[in-house]
Amino acid sequence: MAKESSGPIDPRVARTRRDVIRATVTTLLEEGWEATTHAEVARRAGYSKATVYAHWPTPGHLLRDAIARICEDATQPPMTGDLRSDLHVSLSAFATALSVGRYDRLMAGVIERAAQDADARKLRDRLYETATTGVRTILATRLAAEDVDPCLTMLVGAVLVRTSYEGKTATPSFITDIIDRVLGPAEVRPTTRPADDIAQQDAL
């Protein structure tokens, strides 16, 4: 993470940090983890390597700030209240981020390092939480609590396999089919006890 300052940040320093993090994000998404070096980031940002090292002593500092920026910039599609429609929009956005935004490369790099690096595990968890917030929120508004995590895993996992491992497009028909298969059994489960059950319990 970039070095903290106890006083107001100099506008020139703020501009440098902004430019360098933007260049780091671009390099990370376009070229991958191994290519995200101080030299490459400095070249893209238009600063010297010494300047980059002064604020981010190690590649890990650069990567943490870049992923933090990616998570901060992430936006979630608005919800309409229609479960299937909202899921379709959110999963389509997730598929686009993986295949077009190259988040598949980013996530693969984090997962690869998470086994040996506690910081990488934190980044992995934050990326997953950010990427799935929209789908999780939609599911939580309509399904029983115990159904949310399993449905989230199946929906997100299906899109991830389709786009990243199979290298195919998550078409609208594919996403519709996955939603129908996953929600078929889950939607029939009530999120609250029926009124007659509550009345019977109160009478006891």
Side-chain angles (χ1 to χ4, degrees), residues 9-30:
I9 298 177
D10 187 306
R12 293 170 298 178
V13 174
R15 183 174 62 252
T16 298
R17 291 180 178 175
R18 182 196 64 219
D19 294 344
V20 171
I21 290 304
R22 182 181 297 157
T24 306
V25 169
T26 301
T27 305
L28 188 57
L29 293 176
E30 292 183 354

Side-chain angles (χ1 to χ4, degrees), residues 36-102:
T36 308
T37 63
H38 284 74
E40 177 60 18
V41 168
R43 184 189 69 79
R44 285 180 180 252
Y47 293 95
S48 68
K49 286 194 295 183
T51 297
V52 178
Y53 274 112
H55 294 285
W56 295 271
T58 70
H61 291 99
L62 277 172
L63 294 170
R64 282 197 295 273
D65 279 4
I67 289 177
R69 175 61 55 83
I70 289 170
C71 291
E72 289 167 4
D73 291 346
T75 59
Q76 302 297 335
M79 292 191 295
T80 66
D82 182 273
L83 178 60
R84 278 177 162 77
S85 176
D86 287 343
L87 281 176
H88 203 291
V89 172
S90 191
L91 287 169
S92 296
F94 177 61
T96 299
L98 288 172
S99 58
V100 178
R102 302 314 307 270

